[in-house]
Amino acid sequence: MKDMNMNFSKVEQKFFSESKLQNITTRMPYIAVDNFPKLGLLSALSFLEWAAQNPAGVVSLPTGKTAQYFLHFVKLVLENWDSEKGMTFRSEYGLGETEKPSFRNLQLVQMGEFYPIRSSQHNSLCHFIQKNYIEDLGFDAEKALLMNSDEIELAEGKHFSEVFPDFQIDLSLRYREAKTRTEQLQKDSIFQIDQWCTVYENKIREKGGIGFFLGGIGPDGHIAFNTRGSDHFSATRLKETNFETQAVTATDLGGIEVSRKRLVITIGLGTLGFNPNNKAIVYAAGEAIAETIKHSLEDEPTVIYPATSLHKLKNSRFYLTDGASVQLNDAVDYYFSNGPWTHQKTERAVMELCRKINKFGGKLVLDDLKNDTYCSRIPGLNENTVQSVIDSITAKIERGMHTKKNQVFYHTGPHHDDIMLGIMPLTNRQSRDASNELHFSVLTSGYTAVTNHFLTDLLKDTRELILQGKIEMIEYPDFFESGYKYKWDKDIYHYLDNIAAQNDEEKRRGVCHRVVRALVSIWDLNNPRELLNAIEEVLESLQSSYDGSTNPPKIQKLKGMIRELEEELVWAHYGIMVKNVHHLRLGFYSNNVMGSKPDMEKDVLPVLEEFRKYKPTVISLAMDPQGSGPDTHYKVMQAIAAAVEKWKKEEDLSNVRIVGYRNVWFKYNPWDVEVIVPVSLNSLATLDKSFSECYVTQVNASFPSYQLDGKFSDLTRRTWFEQHKQIQFLLGKNFFYENNSPLLRATHGMVYLRELTVEQFLEEASKLGKAMENIF
């Protein structure tokens, strides 16, 4: 964009000066920072700067997990405002002369809420605001505009639980005739909600409109809950959401089954645009959102990307991590224009040219390369340039086909199913050689992926089998004393036997056996009566809970042990015994404490003890070097890095290799990696069958990826196939179907992997580890 007025504040100028992306050509300005914590710091300082200048201004601030670092740094900077370090820090970031802001006179506007939802629930966004902004930061509740579902007046003065008892709202009643008295009550209530939204909108406009907006962006580009297709002049309203939004809110609401039916109240894009001076900031992290960011900043205003509605605001801008900015033309140009030219750049330039002009690598001619912006920069460009890329990519595939022997593999996953969805074709080949020893380790308990509904059904089935006398082991004399601890492998074998027999009833009985063992272990039960009582206790607790509520610790552990069974079942397919499947249940997963450093005692030591015990020669892990937020993948990588660093002081790790993988959340490109693993049709089928048979809590995809309305295994198959097409574009289809290798002839998928030395891995991990820790 020519002649753009950046209009950056002092804080923004400081962060912009530290950004590698200086040549901004987008339709709206942006600032790119190194990592997610720094994004939170920029957002926090920018807000504090504005609040100090506009003490009675109208603000709309973020809620939920994306607000975590923002709130952390707002509190931290305020607490240290007048300390020596705080003043030095403020001077460095443009706040040296700024008075400490008070939030008492700021007018806070809630941007969105699920509807209907009780405001007392922890997953209500209204509850989040009351707790984090009003109680913790001192905003005045009297001056705030909140979306409290309990206080929105409905027909006949009824509460939403009476009008919409199943929490479902049929918006077609706005336009059609009511067929029953209940529908008439609902129709009248919908119009009253619409009227409430109009009044809410008018109150915002009477204040002059929003002066400072800070919010995240959804995978479909939604701002607040203005999903794809929203009118750029829309106002506050009750509306349905789309699948992408339902998928990302499923965790908050207790599963896609709930979020599909839940409506939202949201301010509109017109609400944001009403005040022409609104400092509207959208912040985003991670490569997963990069394509949406590219369109939001580079495209002309369009309803397909709601954030483009902000282009007209002179003070609008995006705050991004480098990962989120990676697809911007500015970032691509920076990549090719800075630093020494490497073969990795040549690979990327040539492979992207194949895609851009729709030509196989073997068909490219020298003029194609000379006419391309980036290929034309390749040093020594000649007729052999494309062949050099074909050769290097082929060498990566050959490394992926080579099966190592006499190795101790220690495969780790942040969650259950991460290893499978990341590298299963590779682990299958490793397991076929008897000289290899394989371990599979899941570092968190994974209880959040089990819905209350699933557990309720499973416990009812378990109770029924007990009453029918079909759980015979509980009658053994020593079962409750010690017997429950033994023959866990037998549960696994029983289940797999009945996969072969296609006997769903017996498979279910096998799962119920494991549930009984888990109940006895967690509740310390002594006899069948206590067992039945414990089942009733859990069922009552689940029945009295709202969707998405936090379960008591014992129920969390029970859910986690069901997920652990699933992991054991998957690897037992390939002869891996229960003793080689490890469940570390790292402490950070349950305490949800803010901060990037893993706890030495709870998080690092368990991993270190495993390394000391099994002495792996190859360690694999989910590796997201950008860090898409304070999430499990990031913290697990840091825990493993800390354990490896400690272990390096005790052992010579020069021959140890670290394998980094990504799965359904983040993807590598072929030029990013050292190894490319071919995936046969058989492996694709095996993945789907194993996932469907073993991950019983996930088959209904209660917490799906926003990329696909279905099982994670389906998304993984699609990803691997798309990666195969990427390689196919360079090498040509005939490379595969005419190849001498039976594996390559059968290949229809590709897995991309990093393979690093310990030193290289620790350097990668430290890029995130240094992120904004101990700024005071």
Side-chain angles (χ1 to χ4, degrees), residues 283-343:
Y283 64 100
E287 292 178 33
I289 198 78
E291 185 178 354
T292 297
I293 298 302
K294 177 180 174 64
H295 289 293
S296 297
L297 283 172
E298 293 179 353
D299 291 4
E300 291 185 0
T302 168
V303 296
I304 303 298
Y305 291 98
T308 57
S309 68
L310 304 178
H311 290 182
K312 62 181 180 285
L313 293 174
K314 64 182 179 183
N315 293 322
S316 63
R317 62 260 282 105
F318 270 53
Y319 294 165
L320 307 169
T321 62
D322 288 338
S325 69
V326 76
Q327 288 193 29
L328 294 175
N329 291 336
D330 298 342
V332 174
D333 193 65
Y334 176 87
Y335 170 82
F336 284 111
S337 303
N338 288 271
W341 191 277
T342 60
H343 186 67

Side-chain angles (χ1 to χ4, degrees), residues 535-547:
I535 291 173
E536 292 302 329
E537 176 192 321
V538 177
L539 286 172
E540 285 174 18
S541 175
L542 295 174
Q543 196 172 1
S544 62
S545 302
Y546 57 84
D547 292 313

Side-chain angles (χ1 to χ4, degrees), residues 136-200:
D136 291 359
L137 288 178
F139 281 79
D140 186 348
E142 295 297 316
K143 294 185 177 71
L145 284 180
L146 301 180
M147 297 173 175
N148 187 327
S149 298
D150 294 308
E151 294 178 0
I152 297 175
E153 203 170 293
L154 303 183
E156 299 179 12
K158 293 183 180 291
H159 187 260
F160 66 71
S161 58
E162 299 172 280
V163 179
F164 308 108
D166 57 359
F167 290 81
Q168 292 193 56
I169 302 176
D170 180 3
L171 289 184
S172 73
L173 284 167
R174 279 177 175 151
Y175 316 109
R176 66 174 176 84
E177 183 184 2
K179 302 292 186 185
T180 65
R181 189 187 178 286
T182 298
E183 280 198 347
Q184 187 61 53
L185 181 68
Q186 293 177 340
K187 183 184 179 91
D188 293 344
S189 294
I190 289 169
F191 283 132
Q192 286 196 226
I193 298 168
D194 291 340
Q195 178 61 26
W196 182 93
C197 290
T198 300
V199 171
Y200 191 89

Side-chain angles (χ1 to χ4, degrees), residues 485-546:
K485 300 175 186 176
Y486 309 124
K487 298 190 178 179
W488 291 48
D489 278 302
K490 185 180 177 183
D491 294 343
I492 302 294
Y493 191 77
H494 175 90
Y495 188 95
L496 298 184
D497 233 6
N498 285 288
I499 289 178
Q502 298 183 319
N503 188 332
D504 289 341
E505 194 175 308
E506 279 300 303
K507 282 195 300 181
R508 188 65 164 179
R509 192 166 77 92
V511 176
C512 291
H513 267 82
R514 181 58 68 88
V515 169
V516 167
R517 294 184 192 278
L519 285 164
V520 174
S521 169
I522 299 166
W523 271 265
D524 193 20
L525 306 174
N526 296 305
N527 54 58
R529 180 177 296 280
E530 288 185 8
L531 174 60
L532 286 169
N533 288 341
I535 291 173
E536 292 302 329
E537 176 192 321
V538 177
L539 286 172
E540 285 174 18
S541 175
L542 295 174
Q543 196 172 1
S544 62
S545 302
Y546 57 84

Side-chain angles (χ1 to χ4, degrees), residues 8 11-22 24 29-46 69 73 93 281-287 293 297 317-326 328 331 334 625-629 767-768 771-772:
F8 285 155
V11 165
E12 290 171 329
Q13 286 170 16
K14 171 61 178 175
F15 280 88
F16 182 64
S17 71
E18 295 175 353
S19 172
K20 66 184 184 185
L21 299 181
Q22 294 286 313
I24 296 181
Y30 64 87
I31 299 172
V33 298
D34 297 343
N35 51 63
F36 192 83
K38 195 168 184 180
L39 186 69
L41 180 65
L42 166 58
S43 304
L45 295 183
S46 186
Y69 274 113
F73 284 119
Y93 281 95
I281 302 165
V282 176
Y283 64 100
E287 292 178 33
I293 298 302
L297 283 172
R317 62 260 282 105
F318 270 53
Y319 294 165
L320 307 169
T321 62
D322 288 338
S325 69
V326 76
L328 294 175
Y334 176 87
Q626 178 54 59
S628 193
K767 289 176 186 175
L768 278 181
M772 306 316 299

